[in-house]
Amino acid sequence: QVQVVESGGGLVQPGGSLRLSCSASGDISSIKAMGWYRQAPGKAREFVACMTISGGSNYADSVKGRFTISADNSKSTEFLQMNSLKPEDTAVYYCTGDTRGTGCQFGTWGQGTQVTVSS
C-alpha cells in the first residue's frame, strides 16, 4: 500500500510561481511513477504531468514549458514547479502514486491541494 499527501497550494497572481510537493509513504519500493492531475470547478480531472522512477517525464500540452516535475534522491517526494501561472491553472491538484506501471493513469490519490491564480 502506498499513501501520498500533497502540500504547497495557495493563492498566486497571474505570472507567478508555486511549488507543490507530494510525499509518499508505505511501500515506496513498489512505486513505478508519480504524477499530478488537476480538477477545476465543473470540469473533469485532467492529467498534468508524470515522472517514472527512471526519470522519464511527460506533460500535458497546456503546461509544457511552464511546469516541471522532479523528485528527491529518495524518490519518496515529488515536486511540481509551476511557473508563469495563468488563471486557467486554477484547480485542485492531486498527486498520484502508480504502482502498476501505467504511466500515472491509475494509482493511489492524495486529498488534493488548492491552487488559485487570481489578481
Side-chain angles (χ1 to χ4, degrees):
Q1 287 281 357
V2 171
Q3 297 81 41
V4 294
V5 178
E6 306 94 337
S7 61
L11 173 64
V12 63
Q13 293 187 342
S17 299
L18 274 178
R19 189 194 198 200
L20 305 183
S21 299
C22 175
S23 295
S25 61
D27 187 11
I28 296 172
S29 64
S30 68
I31 295 175
K32 305 294 191 295
M34 292 179 71
W36 294 90
Y37 282 72
R38 65 186 182 186
Q39 187 167 19
K43 295 188 177 181
R45 188 173 296 189
E46 65 175 3
F47 171 78
V48 175
C50 179
M51 188 170 74
T52 66
I53 56 172
S54 62
S57 60
N58 62 302
Y59 298 88
D61 288 344
S62 59
V63 306
K64 279 181 182 176
R66 301 188 298 122
F67 291 11
T68 303
I69 192 170
S70 62
D72 68 358
N73 289 336
S74 70
K75 307 297 184 184
S76 65
T77 301
E78 182 186 64
F79 307 98
L80 185 68
Q81 178 66 42
M82 305 186 295
N83 299 328
S84 302
L85 283 162
K86 306 174 181 179
E88 51 263 43
D89 294 318
T90 295
V92 177
Y93 282 71
Y94 297 91
C95 175
T96 183
D98 174 9
T99 60
R100 295 162 55 185
T102 67
C104 300
Q105 293 185 59
F106 299 99
T108 301
W109 296 99
Q111 83 289 349
T113 185
Q114 177 70 47
V115 172
T116 302
V117 185
S118 175
S119 55

